[in-house]
Amino acid sequence: METHAVEIEIKFHLPTPETTRADILSLGATSMGRLFERNVCFENKERTFKVRDILLRLRQDDKSRLTFKSPPDGRDDQFKVYNELEIEVSDFDTCFAILEHLDFLPEKTYEKWRETFVLDQTKLLIDTTPLGTFLEIEGDKSKILTLATQLGFDWRHRILLNYLEIFDIINRQERLELTDMTFDSFRSVGVDVSDHLPDLLAS
């Protein structure tokens, strides 16, 4: 079983992912490989998870994991901070069925390709999503700050939203009426995430 008491991270939009990838490797980071992810987020019957900023997610890449996230007591406007519990499960479909039998409702699905880099116990994650490519930096606050500076990012351009929040903003502003953030859903939709960045950046 894997458990992590607190997850601390930020995102940056990547207009030139290959340049950022080269910069990450130049810092001495090790690539752990690139994987396709399918994520299903669940709601309770009362649909209060979103209101309470709670996430219950089942993820499948090379493994299957069930994750629960909840907000900490204090608000942090510099970093995205959540309490996190995560456990590996042996069978994605069986876990999905168990959650449904417990009256949890599959609310939204989102997909991405993720390449994971590790540097001094900090994770740098290049995520290729249907909306564009982003870098997540996850770890200790001071190391996140240092790496963001070393990679040339402007701290004012950080994003503290999760991918479903980004999807909801773009879905609403573009009047797409899509239910899921999948590559198939966006295959015939031309969206430039750069047009929406002002609404995604941390205030």
Side-chain angles (χ1 to χ4, degrees):
M1 183 175 75
E2 301 176 36
T3 60
H4 303 281
V6 179
E7 178 190 64
I8 304 170
E9 67 179 40
I10 57 167
K11 287 184 183 69
F12 292 101
H13 174 241
L14 297 184
T16 56
E18 287 305 315
T19 300
T20 300
R21 186 181 189 278
D23 291 341
I24 290 171
L25 290 172
S26 72
L27 294 176
T30 301
S31 174
M32 309 305 290
R34 189 171 187 256
L35 295 170
F36 176 75
E37 284 185 12
R38 178 165 66 108
N39 301 271
V40 182
C41 297
F42 290 80
E43 262 285 2
N44 59 4
K45 285 197 302 183
E46 296 76 22
R47 298 188 181 276
T48 61
F49 281 177
K50 185 175 181 179
V51 174
R52 295 159 58 197
D53 200 14
I54 285 174
L55 176 74
L56 181 63
R57 180 187 67 206
L58 185 59
R59 168 175 289 171
Q60 185 175 44
D61 43 37
D62 61 334
K63 300 177 181 178
S64 297
R65 299 176 182 89
L66 181 65
T67 306
F68 174 84
K69 294 186 183 184
S70 61
D73 292 334
R75 184 177 180 273
D76 191 321
D77 61 2
Q78 296 298 307
F79 299 87
K80 178 172 170 256
V81 182
Y82 278 86
N83 300 314
E84 181 181 71
L85 296 171
E86 185 170 274
I87 186 170
E88 185 177 325
V89 297
S90 60
D91 188 295
F92 181 94
D93 292 332
T94 299
C95 188
F96 190 105
I98 289 171
L99 291 169
E100 285 194 306
H101 281 296
L102 291 172
D103 289 332
F104 293 110
L105 310 170
E107 181 77 0
K108 281 183 178 150
T109 297
Y110 68 98
E111 297 174 339
K112 62 178 184 281
W113 283 92
R114 165 169 282 185
E115 184 171 10
T116 300
F117 302 84
V118 177
L119 179 63
D120 297 331
Q121 298 182 323
T122 304
K123 290 182 179 179
L124 299 103
L125 312 160
I126 294 182
D127 290 335
T128 303
T129 80
L131 298 174
T133 304
F134 299 84
L135 172 69
E136 284 191 2
I137 309 176
E138 180 182 329
D140 176 83
K141 290 182 180 181
S142 62
K143 290 182 179 178
I144 291 174
L145 276 165
T146 298
L147 285 170
T149 300
Q150 289 177 324
L151 292 169
F153 289 105
D154 186 333
W155 190 250
R156 295 170 299 176
H157 294 168
R158 72 195 184 284
I159 299 170
L160 304 183
L161 304 173
N162 63 42
Y163 285 118
L164 286 182
E165 290 170 327
I166 294 172
F167 168 68
D168 285 344
I169 289 171
I170 293 176
N171 199 22
R172 182 176 65 253
Q173 292 182 350
E174 295 279 345
R175 300 180 180 178
L176 300 175
E177 298 184 357
L178 298 175
T179 56
D180 297 312
M181 195 182 91
T182 65
F183 289 99
D184 279 345
S185 297
F186 279 84
R187 197 172 302 281
S188 59
V189 177
V191 173
D192 187 348
V193 71
S194 301
D195 296 336
H196 302 274
L197 281 180
D199 296 309
L200 306 182
L201 302 183
S203 56

